[in-house]
């Protein structure tokens, strides 16, 4: 499939998901040669999972199908510019390229406004709206020290 056909598939998924009671988001993960590996749609409300965005759903499906957490060599087509969570997941999955249809302003215009998250990320933790504090830091460090010392760990 061409890039345009893959994007049309992501857009088609987003429209079908609306008809099925979900949000207007769809994603496709494909090889660089245009072969679809996995798809995903927004399942936040249907699965009661705030992380079940289309991109995350597609990444989970592709990783399970391919048996790896490293999706380098693959590309993602998403019907909308990803939110901060999905963008982070795309980076962690190591996808080679991202294509998107709608942008974050288009999403904001229909009620999906992620700008507050971007704003919060710019602040020091103590200045964010979500109260947070470090607790049991020294105890928590013991797991990190064990990880650093582990010789047979799988890096990711």
């Amino acid at each position: 499939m061409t890039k345009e056909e893959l994007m049309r598939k992501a857009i088609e998924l987003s429209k079908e998901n609306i008809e099925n009671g979900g949000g207007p988001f769809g994603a496709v993960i494909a090889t660089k040669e245009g072969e679809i590996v996995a798809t995903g749609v927004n399942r936040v409300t249907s699965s009661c999972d705030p992380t079940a965005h289309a991109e995350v759903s597609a990444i989970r499906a592709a990783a399970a199908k391919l048996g790896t957490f490293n999706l380098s060599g693959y590309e993602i087509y998403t019907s909308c510019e990803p939110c901060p969570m999905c963008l982070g997941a795309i980076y962690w999955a190591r996808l080679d390229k991202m294509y998107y249809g709608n942008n974050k302003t288009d999403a904001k215009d229909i009620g999906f406004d992620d700008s507050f998250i971007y704003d919060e990320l710019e602040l020091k933790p103590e200045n964010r709206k979500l109260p947070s504090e470090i607790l049991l830091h020294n105890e928590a460090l013991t797991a990190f020290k064990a990880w650093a010392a582990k010789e047979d760990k799988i890096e990711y």
Side-chain angles (χ1 to χ4, degrees), residues 43-54:
R43 294 189 209 131
V44 170
T45 57
S46 65
S47 66
C48 297
D49 179 356
T51 69
H53 290 198

Side-chain angles (χ1 to χ4, degrees), residues 32-96:
K32 291 180 182 177
E33 295 74 34
E35 179 184 336
I36 294 176
V37 174
T39 63
V41 294
N42 183 290
R43 294 189 209 131
V44 170
T45 57
S46 65
S47 66
C48 297
D49 179 356
T51 69
H53 290 198
E55 298 89 343
V56 171
S57 296
I59 289 168
R60 288 174 180 164
K65 181 177 181 178
L66 298 169
T68 181
F69 57 84
N70 185 337
L71 300 180
S72 58
Y74 299 91
E75 300 176 333
I76 188 165
Y77 296 77
T78 179
S79 63
C80 185
E81 183 176 2
C83 74
M85 176 186 69
C86 291
L87 185 59
I90 289 165
Y91 275 105
W92 278 113
R94 295 178 178 83
L95 288 155
D96 286 356

Side-chain angles (χ1 to χ4, degrees), residues 7-20 22-27 40-42 54 78-80 102:
M7 181 55 75
R8 285 187 185 106
K9 178 63 176 174
I11 293 166
E12 176 187 322
L13 289 167
S14 72
K15 291 177 182 178
E16 288 174 0
N17 202 47
I18 295 167
E19 293 171 12
N20 294 324
F25 304 98
V41 294
N42 183 290
T78 179
S79 63
C80 185
N102 295 309

